[in-house]
Amino acid sequence: MMKLLVTSGPLRRSARPLSFLLGMLCASTVLGLAGCERNEAPQSLDSIRAMQAAGLFAESLEPLRERLAKQPGDPESSYLYGLALVQTGQISLATWPLRQAMKDPAWAQQAATQLAFAGLVTEDFNEVVHVTTEILEEDPENVLALLLRAQAQAHWRKDSAAAIEDARRVLELEPERLEAYEPLILGLLAGQRSVEARAALDEAGRKLEETKASDSQMAWHCGTTALLALDDGEIDRGREIWDGCLERYPAEPNVV
């Protein structure tokens, strides 16, 4: 299953989740010659998979439309089409083909995961919780579904305890999934558990240092530390931390 990588920017009480994830045979012919004839058979799924593996999601849209015109409801074509729409930012259009793919048990979990990711991007948190719960009923240790549900619960702010539980379960199953600290910290703050939130942030910082995390991840940690200080009323300390973040990560948009 294609994995999604979910990360975040600095903590804000109304923070919007940032999501970061995930991609030629006929396409190259179209560019170099006159294009594929309309009466030819649809492009093979093998070549479409190769396009998407190479990150050519936009280029895979038309071949997939052609396949679905000839084979409406084909589960793999529906899934790949929904995936391409998600990856090209056409989230609202992705819902229908992904739901079509979910009708086939062989594609249900992958399609549901993409649908949950789409819901997280559009902040349809109710949909994310519903879809990921369906996945987890079949596969209770599906880490990606747990992570997406934790993110949705944390940003929805209707059930902070559920966000904390899911985030901790992710870290239990895959300790290297450091992005789970964001919903964990948000959930703890929403539950007025600031001492635990600070401890979780310190733990995340140590692990990020140990794994030689990217500047983007370190900038998230730095900015979140500053915001926690401000939330605690430590205005001068918060400003000092922000200045340090900006000095270390001047090119990171969230810090700037």
Side-chain angles (χ1 to χ4, degrees):
M1 180 175 70
M2 187 173 294
K3 284 196 172 183
L4 301 173
L5 175 62
V6 180
T7 59
S8 66
L11 176 69
R12 295 187 293 273
R13 293 306 174 92
S14 60
R16 300 176 66 182
L18 303 178
S19 307
F20 355 63
L21 324 170
L22 335 160
M24 224 160 65
L25 300 177
C26 182
S28 61
T29 304
V30 171
L31 292 173
L33 303 172
C36 299
E37 295 294 331
R38 289 183 182 273
N39 60 357
E40 288 182 2
Q43 194 162 341
S44 73
L45 280 173
D46 282 343
S47 63
I48 293 172
R49 291 189 207 104
M51 279 186 192
Q52 294 196 351
L56 302 175
F57 291 99
E59 290 83 348
S60 72
L61 287 169
E62 189 56 35
L64 284 164
R65 288 189 192 106
E66 291 175 5
R67 289 193 64 84
L68 288 168
K70 292 184 179 294
Q71 296 177 283
D74 175 66
E76 184 172 5
S77 297
S78 296
Y79 169 73
L80 293 173
Y81 187 49
L83 173 63
L85 289 168
V86 169
Q87 293 294 329
T88 55
Q90 302 175 74
I91 305 296
S92 61
L93 297 177
T95 301
W96 182 81
L98 290 173
R99 289 201 177 279
Q100 283 293 108
M102 284 174 65
K103 294 177 182 179
D104 188 310
W107 292 95
Q109 191 173 106
Q110 293 183 73
T113 300
Q114 284 296 328
L115 194 60
F117 172 63
L120 192 62
V121 172
T122 58
E123 299 188 11
D124 187 353
F125 303 131
N126 180 62
E127 173 79 334
V128 180
V129 171
H130 176 71
V131 172
T132 51
T133 298
E134 283 188 2
I135 296 172
L136 291 163
E137 284 173 356
E138 297 293 326
D139 181 9
E141 295 191 351
N142 187 305
V143 171
L144 189 51
L146 284 165
L147 181 57
L148 289 168
R149 191 169 71 175
Q151 287 276 10
Q153 294 283 22
H155 288 278
W156 200 10
R157 299 180 67 188
K158 289 188 71 173
D159 191 344
S160 60
I164 294 166
E165 182 180 354
D166 281 348
R168 284 185 167 154
R169 184 61 178 147
V170 170
L171 292 168
E172 218 175 273
L173 293 168
E174 291 188 15
E176 69 277 10
R177 284 269 189 180
L178 302 187
E179 60 266 41
Y181 279 100
E182 187 216 15
L184 174 59
I185 292 165
L186 279 172
L188 290 168
L189 287 173
Q192 306 297 313
R193 296 159 66 176
S194 58
V195 173
E196 291 175 74
R198 187 179 294 280
L201 186 62
D202 289 344
E203 184 178 87
R206 287 193 298 273
K207 290 185 177 180
L208 288 167
E209 290 283 358
E210 289 169 4
T211 58
K212 298 182 180 178
S214 67
D215 280 356
S216 178
Q217 291 172 310
M218 295 306 298
W220 166 80
H221 182 266
C222 191
T224 303
T225 303
L227 285 166
L228 269 178
L230 294 173
D231 277 354
D232 288 343
E234 300 176 51
I235 306 302
D236 291 338
R237 180 170 175 268
R239 287 175 176 165
E240 183 180 344
I241 295 170
W242 269 124
D243 288 343
C245 296
L246 187 59
E247 184 178 344
R248 290 195 296 280
Y249 310 107
E252 288 298 323
N254 285 310
V255 170
V256 175

